[in-house]
Amino acid sequence: MKITSARLIVCSPDRNFVTLRMETDEGIYGLGDATLNGRELAVASYLEDHVLPCLIGRDASRIEDIWQYLYRGAYWRRGPVTMAAIGAVDMALWDIKGKALNTPLYNLLGGASREGCMVYTHANGKDISETIDAVQKEMATGYVAVRAQAGVPGVASSYGVPKGTSSYEPAERGLPSEGLWSTERYLNFVPKLFEQLRQHVGEDVHLLHDVHHRLTPIEAARLGKSLEPYHLFWMEDPTPAELQSGFASIRQHTTTPIAVGEVFNTLWDCKELIERQLIDYIRITVVHGGGISHLRKIADFADIYQVRTGCHGATDMSPITMAAALHLGLAIHNFGIQEHMRHTTLTDEVFPHAYRFDAGYMHPGDAPGLGVEIDEALAAKYPYQRAYLPIARKLDGTLTDW
Ligand code: EZ4
Ligand code: CO
């Protein structure tokens, strides 16, 4: 089965998505997600100008060989743009293989290891009481795990808290906005948030929290320690992870589980973190981690060290990545949890999909391949719009890590 053509669909149904569509001479096509939040067109160009021309005429069944060809053959390795492009090609090829064999992707990855993938969603509020309401609302919808973020008193526009009344979306259209940050106020506030939360929602629901790389290791250690009474499912991205050994000091001080990796793109970004058992959950996901083929390798490596997966699943992972993550999550032994930030109705209409949510768990469905389509006519009505993640500065103007 030969690849006959491949093209990109760039659209913005409420937010930007870059989608690869690959056709074969047997009439089977595959879809891949290539969305890199705030840098979308760089990946589109990488694919269109440098990758897709090399793929025409190649055997679509040789997924591993094409992966190695793109990773090793480019000479320039790794990085989010490169790995998102490889990820899109890899997803499309797995989609084609599933359709060719008439079976859902999870079946090709070893079959289901569980009935469904536990997911967590987001609850955000401008203060503690709004956040408690938001967590209770998500629990009522059926979620058994919820990430809680609240506005920090004295810190304008805190991470994860929507401006106005619209639902939270990490990217904002136009040029990047700049918010303020105070580590001192944050560290004093967060334990109060979770103390109140546990009082109101009880002990059973899993609570998670995202620090978004804004602390030093010793500050993160203090936070983890102060949150121990409220037994979080995890503390996410406590400190920037370029320095992997930095996590050792967090580990020495706290039993709060640690999740990291949504900005990683290969195993090499987390090798030491996993090998030294400095983390509990690895958050790298299919699109940004070089596709299903590479993520499977990371998950298998992590399994040896009792590290489980907790794939990034914010709205910038298109429904194609969401499906891929659910197929992988259903199949691998060391699945931990999957992030599920619901897409807007319009996004779901552009990407009709077989995956479904039921009582806190998600299933990828049994359609052949990934089980996601794209309505190109609808997508065409929503062209790309420039958008960025916001930037934050400390009270004295210093740029934060995020
Ligand atoms: O900043 O998806 O856990 N989720 C997050 C998100 C990420 C964006 C990055 O594109 O941290 O808000
Ligand atoms: Co995060």
Side-chain angles (χ1 to χ4, degrees):
M1 186 173 27
K2 293 216 181 316
I3 299 169
T4 49
S5 67
R7 62 189 167 81
L8 292 176
I9 303 148
V10 182
C11 62
S12 196
D14 295 326
R15 67 158 355 277
N16 292 322
F17 293 109
V18 178
T19 305
L20 171 65
R21 182 179 165 120
M22 196 183 275
E23 316 271 347
T24 64
D25 58 0
E26 291 184 18
I28 297 172
Y29 71 92
L31 297 178
D33 178 21
T35 309
L36 183 62
N37 215 359
R39 296 293 186 270
E40 294 87 356
L41 301 184
V43 186
S45 163
Y46 189 105
L47 280 164
E48 244 162 19
D49 297 327
H50 304 292
V51 169
L52 302 184
C54 308
L55 297 181
I56 309 307
R58 286 184 187 278
D59 182 349
S61 67
R62 296 180 61 174
I63 302 176
E64 179 68 17
D65 183 63
I66 290 177
W67 195 95
Q68 300 295 344
Y69 175 82
L70 294 177
Y71 182 80
R72 295 174 201 280
Y75 188 70
W76 311 106
R77 296 185 187 187
R78 308 166 59 189
V81 175
T82 297
M83 298 311 290
I86 297 177
V89 172
D90 187 79
M91 269 182 255
L93 292 172
W94 278 107
D95 193 24
I96 289 169
K97 194 180 285 293
K99 288 171 178 166
L101 299 172
N102 195 30
T103 192
L105 174 64
Y106 72 82
N107 213 17
L108 299 176
L109 300 173
S113 286
R114 55 190 55 77
E115 304 309 313
C117 300
M118 181 168 67
V119 296
Y120 73 92
T121 196
H122 294 191
N124 315 300
K126 69 173 181 331
D127 55 28
I128 293 181
S129 87
E130 250 190 49
T131 306
I132 293 170
D133 288 349
V135 170
Q136 286 174 330
K137 194 169 140 241
E138 298 304 343
M139 289 168 68
T141 321
Y143 287 94
V144 295
V146 184
R147 186 191 91 163
Q149 309 290 139
V152 178
V155 180
S157 64
S158 305
Y159 163 72
V161 180
K163 291 171 185 157
T165 51
S166 55
S167 63
Y168 175 62
E169 159 57 51
E172 296 165 7
R173 284 177 172 165
L175 295 176
S177 68
E178 296 195 10
L180 280 184
W181 175 252
S182 160
T183 294
E184 296 73 19
R185 290 174 190 171
Y186 173 77
L187 285 176
N188 289 333
F189 170 74
V190 180
K192 293 179 192 146
L193 167 67
F194 281 92
E195 183 187 18
Q196 293 275 316
L197 265 171
R198 278 293 174 217
Q199 275 172 18
H200 285 83
V201 303
E203 299 288 333
D204 287 344
V205 64
H206 295 303
L207 293 177
L208 300 81
H209 182 69
D210 192 350
V211 182
H212 239 228
H213 314 108
R214 288 191 181 170
L215 302 176
T216 64
I218 201 67
E219 289 163 353
R222 171 180 153 194
L223 180 66
K225 205 168 171 176
S226 64
L227 292 174
E228 280 171 18
Y230 318 115
H231 52 90
L232 264 59
F233 187 90
W234 78 34
M235 168 171 77
E236 175 178 334
D237 290 341
T239 194
E242 287 93 332
L243 181 67
Q244 297 183 37
S245 59
F247 280 67
S249 67
I250 308 177
R251 229 19 174 190
Q252 277 163 19
H253 292 286
T254 180
T255 56
T256 295
I258 300 169
V260 73
E262 65 183 48
V263 304
F264 297 175
N265 44 73
T266 70
L267 172 62
W268 302 101
D269 295 326
C270 48
K271 182 175 164 288
E272 186 181 349
L273 288 171
I274 293 172
E275 233 169 19
R276 293 180 59 194
Q277 295 177 271
L278 298 178
I279 59 169
D280 301 280
Y281 297 91
I282 180 68
R283 280 183 51 69
I284 190 166
T285 194
V286 177
V287 53
H288 303 133
I292 294 148
S293 299
H294 191 61
L295 209 66
R296 170 88 212 215
K297 289 185 187 180
I298 296 174
D300 288 346
F301 178 69
D303 196 16
I304 297 169
Y305 299 96
Q306 301 208 26
V307 173
R308 290 184 282 170
T309 62
C311 291
H312 189 202
T315 37
D316 46 308
M317 307 324 104
S318 96
I320 301 167
T321 288
M322 192 63 196
L326 289 171
H327 283 283
L328 187 70
L330 198 72
I332 58 175
H333 171 70
N334 59 326
F335 167 79
I337 197 167
Q338 167 68 46
E339 183 177 18
H340 179 226
M341 202 181 156
R342 290 181 297 274
H343 287 113
T344 65
T345 309
L346 181 58
T347 298
D348 283 340
E349 280 167 11
V350 168
F351 298 96
H353 49 257
Y355 62 75
R356 55 181 189 267
F357 172 87
D358 181 30
Y361 291 76
M362 287 178 78
H363 192 282
D366 288 302
L370 290 169
V372 185
E373 299 293 330
I374 182 164
D375 181 338
E376 289 196 53
L378 187 58
K381 291 185 185 163
Y382 303 96
Y384 167 80
Q385 291 194 36
R386 188 183 300 281
Y388 291 93
L389 288 161
I391 284 161
R393 292 182 185 275
K394 296 180 186 173
L395 300 181
D396 70 353
T398 310
L399 207 68
T400 62
D401 268 288
W402 197 83

